[in-house]
Amino acid sequence: MSSSSVSLYCQLLPDSQFFLQILIAICANIVVLGPAMGFGYSAVAESAMRSNKTDGDLQLDANQANWMATVSALGTPIGCLLSSVVMGRGRKTSMFVTSLISMAGWVIIYMSNSYVQILVGRSISGISTGMASVPTTVYAAEIAGSKWRSSMVTWTSISIALGVLIVYIFGYIFQDNWRMVALMCALFPLCAIALILLVIPESPLWLRDRNRPDEALEIMKKFRGIPKDQPAPAEVLFELKPRPQKKNQNTLKHLMKRSSLVPFGVMLSFFFFQQFSGIFVVIYNAVGIMAKSGVKVDPFLGAVLIGIARFIASFLMAGVSRKFGRRIPSMISGIGMTIFMGGLSLYLFLAEKGTVMADNGVIPVICMVMYIFTSTLGFLVIPFAMIGEVFPSKVKDILSGMTAAIGYLFSAITVKTYPDMAKLMNMYGVFLFYAIMSLIGAIFILLFLPETKGKTLREIEDMFSTKKKAFEL
């Protein structure tokens, strides 16, 4: 069968091209669930850990509880840097190591008999969170065709949203039992390990870059729906064609190329606005923030509502990203975050000044839920999706890990400084700061964020290699 007839075969049977891609991408994203639960654990466990104990179990004070959240956030950038190293050993290996570390962290938390042990468990859990953030997105980008890539790279964020929602639900069910919540979380990386060993193949592009073309072609043909005994069409061979490189060009020279530096600078800036707009502060402290925002419902139930809003928005984001790309959803997200966080700030300011509100606490609920919803449509999801596609393959392991690491370092700073900001500025001042940062972030996106919709990874690299105006990228 000729290459043209193979292409016709794939067009007549489109499901054969995409079914395996979708199935394997879903399996790979299960790896993210266990580590992602670390984002929401402190929110649901803090009240149980701080409550008065009659059975001699651990009891934390306010400062210790804040450090419980912060050490996880500090461990996450370390995990991102480790993922850069481990991904060099293979995407599959990286996901396997991530799951092992995640399970170890949850088991240590469950078995903790001291505050220090909790910090150790939370640190390990945070490391696994950082390690999970990049490999799955990169893996999805490398196995997906250009038609589906813009959607599939957002599935990591859907998995993170689902993991956070699940741990919020566990917290609602087991409000007084932080150990049981940790034990339930440990089951998910165990399931992921089984899938990695039994189902998930190695990335064909990673195999290509390791001079294993036969294995790469065999796996890529499966992902593109081409029968094993048929020749690969020209499009598939082009995907697996190594980019020409100058002889003896080392990694540092690759890192210093325009095609590496420009996306690195853009993505670091995007992550800065993501974190300082307060998204992760709300996720890490959902229960406490709901209680301080004038919400007149069970704060644990309020956290579940936040988790549901984020999960629904993550699903919508997959379709929105495929249709509208990166720039438009990101700008809408920033504007929405500005409106709802600014509205909540105004509400709390008026309440602080003695204004009587007749809404029975409905407005804060709407503002908080819609803030998370709109953030997920762009600011929360798109930066993580884009690090899987904007960096050249030769330095993707390094730059994707470094970018996520610095982004999570921003997260640790915001999580740690949140209590001090609340004391200094009051809650309405904190929310106003987040609203202003969201607005500045939306302006940055308008001016500098490139569009990658519909482009192959090779085309994206070529786009950054040439000088263009930011809004033309």
Side-chain angles (χ1 to χ4, degrees), residues 25-287:
I26 290 173
C27 291
N29 276 283
I30 291 176
V31 173
V32 179
L33 293 178
M37 292 176 183
F39 285 124
Y41 181 75
S42 60
V44 299
E46 179 179 344
S47 61
M49 290 182 173
R50 291 185 61 185
S51 62
N52 293 325
K53 301 294 192 301
T54 58
D55 56 2
D57 201 2
L58 289 173
Q59 181 176 348
L60 308 184
D61 59 31
N63 184 57
Q64 290 174 327
N66 177 249
W67 272 110
M68 180 185 66
T70 303
V71 293
S72 179
L74 288 173
T76 303
I78 296 174
C80 293
L81 295 176
L82 287 176
S83 74
S84 298
V85 177
V86 181
M87 274 203 302
R89 309 289 294 182
R91 313 310 190 214
K92 183 173 178 177
T93 300
S94 182
M95 289 186 282
F96 179 75
V97 172
T98 298
S99 298
L100 281 178
I101 294 176
S102 176
M103 187 169 63
W106 288 120
V107 170
I108 290 173
I109 294 171
Y110 170 74
M111 299 179 65
S112 292
N113 293 314
S114 70
Y115 170 59
V116 172
Q117 290 176 353
I118 290 177
L119 293 184
V120 171
R122 286 288 287 158
S123 298
I124 294 174
S125 179
I127 289 172
S128 72
T129 301
M131 293 187 69
S133 300
V134 176
T136 305
T137 304
V138 171
Y139 183 81
E142 291 180 343
I143 68 171
S146 59
K147 181 179 179 181
W148 280 87
R149 182 178 297 113
S150 61
S151 293
M152 289 176 64
V153 293
T154 66
W155 293 0
T156 302
S157 293
I158 294 176
S159 298
I160 293 174
L162 179 58
V164 172
L165 174 59
I166 291 172
V167 79
Y168 284 167
I169 293 173
F170 287 160
Y172 179 69
I173 296 172
F174 306 109
Q175 292 189 16
D176 299 320
N177 195 338
W178 54 270
R179 293 185 189 275
M180 180 58 69
V181 175
L183 183 62
M184 296 297 291
C185 292
L187 298 177
F188 290 85
L190 182 63
C191 293
I193 289 171
L195 289 173
I196 294 166
L197 294 177
L198 300 175
V199 178
I200 299 174
E202 185 54 84
S203 162
L205 296 189
W206 181 85
L207 292 169
R208 177 203 68 184
D209 292 339
R210 296 306 182 277
N211 296 317
R212 294 159 65 178
D214 294 338
E215 296 174 69
L217 181 60
E218 180 182 354
I219 295 175
M220 186 64 86
K221 286 173 67 174
K222 291 180 181 179
F223 281 127
R224 298 299 179 260
I226 301 167
K228 186 176 181 179
D229 58 347
Q230 301 298 339
E235 310 92 84
V236 172
L237 295 176
F238 183 74
E239 280 190 89
L240 293 175
K241 181 181 178 181
R243 294 189 69 88
Q245 303 291 343
K246 295 179 181 179
K247 292 183 178 181
N248 301 322
Q249 194 169 48
N250 59 29
T251 301
L252 181 59
K253 289 184 179 180
H254 285 293
L255 289 171
M256 297 307 295
K257 287 184 176 180
R258 177 182 172 82
S259 59
S260 300
L261 292 176
V262 172
F264 184 59
V266 170
M267 295 312 301
L268 276 187
S269 301
F270 201 174
F271 271 102
F272 175 84
F273 290 112
Q274 177 202 65
Q275 296 299 340
F276 283 90
S277 63
I279 298 174
F280 277 69
V281 173
V282 174
I283 293 170
Y284 272 101
N285 301 277
V287 174

Side-chain angles (χ1 to χ4, degrees), residues 424-437:
L424 181 65
M425 306 166 62
N426 292 320
M427 290 303 295
Y428 62 79
V430 173
F431 292 154
L432 178 61
F433 173 82
Y434 294 154
I436 293 172
M437 293 303 295

